Every structure is written in structure tokens, then in C-alpha cells.
Amino acid sequence: MSIKNNRLTPAEYQENFTDIHPPFETKDAAVVEANRCLFCYDPPCMKSCPTSINVPKFIRQITTDNLKGSAHTIFSSNIMGAGCSKVCPVEKLCEGACVYNLMHETPINIAKLQRYSTEKAMENKWQLFDRKPSKGKRVAVIGAGPAGLSCAHTLSREGIDVTIFEKESKGGGLMTYGIAAYKVTPEFCEDEVNYITSIGGIDIKYNQEFGKNVTLEQLQNNYDAVYMAFGVGLARQLDIEGEHLQGVEDAIKFIYELRNNDYSKIAVGDKVAVIGMGMTAIDAATQAKRLGASDVTLVYRRTQAEMPCTEKELDIAKLDGCKVIWLASPKEIIGNNGKVSQLICDVMKLGEPDASGRRSPVVSGETFTLDVDMVIKAAGQMPFQSLVNDNNIQNNNGKIVVDGKSVSKIAGVFAGGDSVNGGREVVDAVQAGKDGAAAILKYIISPDYIIESELKPTFNN
């Protein structure tokens, strides 16, 4: 057993990391699917979308060959509608709420239809929004992820000049650096960022890290308001013996490296254990398998009923050949010459529900051992507690404390997305950015200021 790169041929890498959810191949295929929609009067799909996309409206616009109108309907509510169509857990959001489920029929393929319209808009560079004349106000946004980009685009549409400070060399945040490559490519993420900023009035300054290259005090002195959207990203540690042996990796770093390099350059073990059962764990496990690992095992301390990932994501891992061991928790990592050789796990049993509502795992007293040469930790992410403390930002265990949806305890400073909620879906971050923009406009323009995204969507063609 060993950890090495270049395990597969270029053709195998290409096949393994191709688009897992291909688009409609023809216009007719999209129209046929769109015509299945019942155009519900009080659409549950729309209610289940955190950004409240008017799903029946954009689908009906597809049936009438009004693709610009369809894309506009989507982007009006979610400027990252193209990316979300690829990465949203739609089975527990819009598609999961589709009335066809009540009829025991296949729900409308909303995500694929959304992708159809939005990708046409991006391919053709349709500029669907007119930026209002400048209001002479400037806002600084910390982080070019979904929340930051959403906030910036909403503000720019209203005539506000926005500067985004991003610590990485590319924008997109989690979309660019933290999601499996077979779901969304780095090239697509770059195109999406460029499409969002093409409205004008948005300047992204890359390689500018908050707390290092730029301070909150500097931004407060030079801008009318500040929106903090720097997310989360610190990997939760296992706190077990052997955790720092060679071959133990954080899932965040593993996926980050994969997104930043040619697939052949990413080293992976022959026998890999992945700790956790969230979306990041699934992404790490499936990509390890697709990089050439012969044996990948997901280890989770609860049962399938309590797992945070969706059934659809778990199915992807299983179809890739990943194994799952339920009711198991890492106890110790054994090494040989400083390198990982075995993972010892406690066999768990479920006790009473914890604060999350899930039954707490309890050690049974039994253990088992896995022979591995690589362990990937995907036990969750933590907020940047030191960062917020160093900038005197009121927080709750690192999560920024806000009034309402986005108003921090510091005058003129707002926050949203994962840095506030601790980590949710991309679509939740997009909505947080819209909420932040609305609050900022009320602060720097007028308490009575109303923007289009705050108005109740209408259902018309």
C-alpha cells in the first residue's frame, strides 16, 4: 500500500471527472420535460427554494421559447442559479417538494431545466439587468463566495459601487474550491464569476486576506458599509492519537488541491478511510475512488437514518464502489515509520437525541481495525473564531452574531452566509447575500428603500 499520484491514464481521469449530471442534449428534450409541469397555483417547489425562484414561471417561459425571460426569472432571485442547478440538493428542496412525488411519479427535473436556461444565458453573455445610475456610495465585501457575490450583484444593480476582497486567486468560494470536480468544474466557476461581475460596478481584489492584507478598521474608514462573507473553512479535528501521521488529510485541503491541480498530480492512497457522512465526506470519498484508490470506506458514527448527506449523494458514492461502515467512530490511527497503516474504530450504539435532534452515538466497548494507508477527515468545518475575535466582532463560538438576518453589532458592518450560520448550502448563502444587500441599502440610502428582490414574485409569462 502507498500514497501516490498518476494512478490512471489521461482518458480514465477524463471519464471519471466528466459531468455527472449532463444537460439536455436538445431543445426538444427540454421542452418536453418543461411541458410536464402542472404550473401549480401555489407552487411548493418555489416555497422550498431558499431564494424563492419562481419555478413555474421560468419553466413556462421555456415552453414558449422565451429563454431570455426564463434566465431572467431565475437570476432575479438567484444570480448563481447556473451553479446552483449543478450543486443544490434539489431532492430535499424544489424537486423534493414537487407535487408529482405525491402521485408517486418522477418529479419535474427542475435543476436540469434551470441549467438549460442559465447556461444559455452565460454562453451567449446575455446581460439581463440594467444597472441603475451610481448613487455615489461604496461598499466593501469580504469574500467572493456565493454570499459575497450575491450581495455585490444586488448592490450593483441598485447603483452601488462594490469592492470585493478575496483571499484566493479566484472567486467563487466554495463553488470553486470545495465541491467535487465532477459536479462543477473550476472553468465553469470562473465563467460564472465573470458573468456575475459583467454587470459592472464590481471590482474584485484577489489575494487580499481579511485580517492580514486588509483590516475591518481600514474598510470602515474607506467605505459606506462593509459586508462580511468570508465563510468557514477550518477542518474539525478528530483529537485522537496518530492524527498527525503522514497520510492523514483534511477533506477540505484534499478537495482544494484537487480543484487547483491536474488530476494526475493528486496523490491518493490505495486503501482510504473517510471519516464523516456529510456532503464533503461524500465528495472526498468519491473523488479518492475516481483518482484511482482501490478501496474507499466511509466511517460514520451514527446510522443511515441520521446521516447529514442526502440519499442521492450516498448513492453516488456506492455506485463508485465506496463502502460504508455505520455506527463506527475513529479511536486511534496507527503508523509504521511515521506513515498511516491502520485505523482503529470504536463500535458505537445510539443513545438519546442530542441538540441536533439526532440520537447521540455512545461507545459500545467493542473495536475493530481497518488496514489503510490514507485517512481523510471530513467531520465538519469550524468558523474562523480567532479571526472574528481579533477584529472584535461579536460572535457565538466563531459564528458572527447578527440582528435580524444580517446586521452585526458594529454600526455599518453586516454579515451573512456560512460566517453567520456555520455552514449551509450554496443557495442559502445566495439568499443571505440578498438579505445583506437589502439591509445595507436601508442603512446607506433610506430605511424605506425597497429593491426588486424584496417584492413578491408574480406568476406570469
Side-chain angles (χ1 to χ4, degrees):
M1 297 191 298
S2 63
I3 298 175
K4 61 181 182 180
N5 60 2
N6 205 28
R7 287 180 174 271
L8 306 176
T9 67
E12 287 173 322
Y13 284 120
Q14 179 65 33
E15 181 181 356
N16 287 353
F17 288 93
T18 192
D19 195 337
I20 196 170
H21 301 300
F24 288 112
E25 293 185 1
T26 65
K27 171 185 171 182
D28 287 346
V31 172
V32 167
E33 180 64 17
N35 274 308
R36 290 183 60 231
C37 184
L38 300 176
F39 308 113
C40 301
Y41 172 74
D42 190 24
C45 53
M46 181 175 170
K47 289 181 178 179
S48 69
C49 175
T51 59
S52 299
I53 293 175
N54 194 330
V55 177
K57 180 178 179 180
F58 94 70
I59 291 179
R60 175 163 286 180
Q61 288 168 315
I62 291 175
T63 69
T64 60
D65 201 25
N66 182 9
L67 286 190
K68 277 190 177 181
S70 179
H72 182 270
T73 297
I74 296 164
F75 287 139
S76 293
S77 295
N78 182 348
I79 193 57
M80 297 192 78
C84 284
S85 72
K86 296 170 178 278
V87 305
C88 261
V90 291
E91 59 272 21
K92 67 179 183 180
L93 296 173
C94 56
E95 292 183 18
C98 179
V99 295
Y100 272 120
N101 291 297
L102 302 176
M103 306 176 196
H104 305 290
E105 294 187 27
T106 303
I108 303 298
N109 201 326
I110 297 170
K112 201 168 182 178
L113 289 169
Q114 182 169 312
R115 177 177 178 177
Y116 177 69
S117 295
T118 54
E119 286 195 348
K120 289 291 184 184
M122 288 176 57
E123 288 168 8
N124 293 287
K125 295 182 171 55
W126 292 336
Q127 186 50 256
L128 303 174
F129 300 96
D130 293 322
R131 186 169 186 254
K132 294 181 181 179
S134 176
K135 290 182 170 58
K137 298 290 185 178
R138 301 169 69 235
V139 172
V141 173
I142 304 170
L149 289 168
S150 174
C151 180
H153 191 271
T154 305
L155 289 171
S156 181
R157 280 161 54 181
E158 299 298 314
I160 307 299
D161 295 320
V162 181
T163 302
I164 303 178
F165 295 86
E166 168 56 47
K167 70 175 182 178
E168 301 289 352
S169 59
K170 298 177 182 178
L174 177 68
M175 288 286 291
T176 299
Y177 293 103
I179 293 178
Y182 55 77
K183 293 179 183 176
V184 56
T185 66
E187 293 77 19
F188 170 85
C189 292
E190 184 174 1
D191 289 344
E192 187 169 44
V193 172
N194 290 337
Y195 184 74
I196 291 170
T197 57
S198 66
I199 190 174
I202 302 173
D203 178 28
I204 304 180
K205 295 187 180 297
Y206 293 108
N207 303 306
Q208 296 295 303
E209 184 174 350
F210 177 54
K212 182 178 180 180
N213 305 108
V214 62
T215 67
L216 182 58
E217 183 179 4
Q218 289 173 329
L219 298 180
Q220 287 176 291
N221 290 336
N222 291 295
Y223 294 87
D224 296 291
V226 178
Y227 183 68
M228 297 183 290
F230 45 76
V232 293
L234 297 175
R236 193 177 301 281
Q237 301 303 297
L238 301 177
D239 295 325
I240 62 174
E241 189 173 342
E243 187 169 6
H244 302 294
L245 287 167
Q246 184 179 341
V248 181
E249 293 277 1
D250 292 332
I252 299 168
K253 179 184 177 184
F254 178 69
I255 296 173
Y256 180 96
E257 291 298 324
L258 195 152
R259 301 283 291 181
N260 259 341
N261 294 282
D262 184 82
Y263 304 133
S264 64
K265 295 180 181 179
I266 306 302
V268 67
D270 186 48
K271 292 188 175 182
V272 180
V274 179
I275 312 302
M277 193 52 74
M279 297 295 195
T280 300
I282 295 291
D283 283 357
T286 53
Q287 290 187 118
K289 201 76 170 71
R290 291 171 184 232
L291 285 169
S294 63
D295 187 288
V296 176
T297 303
L298 285 146
V299 176
Y300 183 53
R301 60 182 182 162
R302 291 184 169 97
T303 70
Q304 186 169 347
E306 292 83 29
M307 67 181 186
C309 75
T310 65
E311 292 284 350
K312 190 173 182 180
E313 292 289 320
L314 178 59
D315 287 344
I316 292 172
K318 287 182 175 180
L319 287 170
D320 275 1
C322 298
K323 305 171 187 175
V324 181
I325 300 179
W326 307 103
L327 290 172
S329 180
K331 180 179 182 179
E332 182 181 355
I333 301 173
I334 304 296
N336 184 14
N337 294 323
K339 299 179 181 179
V340 172
S341 60
Q342 291 181 319
L343 173 66
I344 300 176
C345 295
D346 282 312
V347 175
M348 311 299 285
K349 58 184 179 179
L350 294 182
E352 296 300 316
D354 60 15
S356 70
R358 294 179 297 173
R359 294 176 64 190
S360 301
V362 180
V363 175
S364 70
E366 299 179 42
T367 64
F368 65 89
T369 301
L370 294 175
D371 291 328
V372 296
D373 54 12
M374 187 175 192
V375 175
I376 300 177
K377 300 179 291 184
Q381 299 181 45
M382 300 181 296
F384 296 107
Q385 188 161 4
S386 296
L387 181 63
V388 293
N389 285 335
D390 290 346
N391 285 275
N392 297 314
I393 301 168
Q394 188 171 339
N395 66 90
N396 180 14
N397 295 320
K399 294 185 288 187
I400 300 173
V401 174
V402 296
D403 292 329
K405 295 179 178 179
S406 54
V407 182
S408 82
K409 300 298 182 180
I410 305 173
V413 178
F414 303 80
D418 290 352
S419 60
V420 171
N421 61 45
R424 292 182 185 170
E425 306 295 344
V426 171
V427 68
D428 293 296
V430 173
Q431 181 58 41
K434 290 163 55 182
D435 293 334
I440 290 170
L441 288 165
K442 292 179 186 297
Y443 175 76
I444 65 177
I445 303 297
S446 166
D448 300 320
Y449 198 93
I450 301 293
I451 58 177
E452 182 181 346
S453 61
E454 290 185 297
L455 301 175
K456 184 177 180 180
T458 57
F459 177 43
N460 52 54
N461 189 26

